[in-house]
Amino acid sequence: KALLAEDLITNLPEETLDNFDIADESETDEEQAPLSTPIELDPKWIIHINGREVDPAHMKLPSTFNNLCVVHPDFGSVEWLEPVTVHSWSEIKKNVQFGKGNVILYPNVEKVPEVGEGLNVHARMSVFNVFAKNKIRMERKLQKVCADIGAKFVAYTNNGVWTMEVNSS
């Protein structure tokens, strides 16, 4: 089923770029693995790997990434907490949606892979700008939403960020 999150702050680790492959300019065209094909990600999307912003157009695919995080600064983020293999950036574009008050992983519920496959692994999801006059009441409501969809409530902050984890053990 589609997973809905309403606000998440992600503290990305300051680790090295394990499993991150960027084409080396010194390689000849024959030696270089093909770069990802041009895609039309939302220009506001920010891609992080191990806490460092990267340009997806300069990455070899398929690749397996540790700590892949996709952020839409207006709406939220998804940070995969397990290694995830990306075959194409269109896979991310098709299966991650951001909107006002929600983050959806696998919006097409008929095409959700088994837990542990594709992007359907342990992830932390955040939704930004979730504000309420009564923070305690809102936090209880968000905890209930998490319980209803099988997610683990992580936090609801004073700055309007709701954080939860999905597919955790």
Side-chain angles (χ1 to χ4, degrees), residues 7-168:
D7 211 33
L8 172 88
I9 287 185
T10 305
N11 295 317
L12 298 172
E14 295 293 328
E15 300 172 3
T16 59
L17 288 175
D18 297 334
N19 295 320
F20 177 61
D21 224 352
I22 297 181
D24 186 339
E25 292 178 25
S26 66
E27 296 175 327
T28 67
D29 289 341
E30 295 173 345
E31 295 174 310
Q32 285 184 352
L35 295 176
S36 61
T37 55
I39 53 164
E40 294 182 19
L41 289 178
D42 184 318
K44 289 188 174 186
W45 282 25
I46 302 166
I47 309 293
H48 289 115
I49 296 177
N50 288 326
R52 294 177 65 189
E53 187 174 340
V54 298
D55 180 354
H58 294 101
M59 299 171 63
K60 297 178 197 176
L61 295 178
S63 287
T64 299
F65 302 107
N66 293 319
N67 300 96
L68 173 64
C69 183
V70 178
V71 179
H72 189 297
D74 297 332
F75 301 125
S77 66
V78 178
E79 177 188 9
W80 286 270
L81 302 174
E82 294 179 8
V84 63
T85 299
V86 176
H87 298 280
S88 70
W89 291 108
S90 62
E91 173 185 13
I92 300 283
K93 179 182 177 183
K94 179 175 63 174
N95 294 308
V96 177
Q97 290 184 359
F98 296 102
K100 185 176 180 180
N102 65 68
V103 174
I104 301 172
L105 184 57
Y106 288 108
N108 185 344
V109 295
E110 286 92 37
K111 295 189 178 184
V112 178
E114 295 293 320
V115 173
E117 295 178 16
L119 304 174
N120 200 14
V121 298
H122 187 196
R124 183 175 299 131
M125 299 173 70
S126 297
V127 180
F128 303 150
N129 301 311
V130 178
F131 294 100
K133 291 180 183 177
N134 187 323
K135 182 182 181 290
I136 294 170
R137 186 178 306 156
M138 177 59 89
E139 185 169 326
R140 282 191 214 125
K141 180 179 177 183
L142 298 175
Q143 288 171 341
K144 182 176 180 342
V145 170
C146 286
D148 290 347
I149 63 172
K152 177 185 172 189
F153 177 85
V154 175
Y156 175 57
T157 66
N158 288 334
N159 60 346
V161 176
W162 172 28
T163 305
M164 69 174 151
E165 290 185 12
V166 296
N167 298 326
S168 59

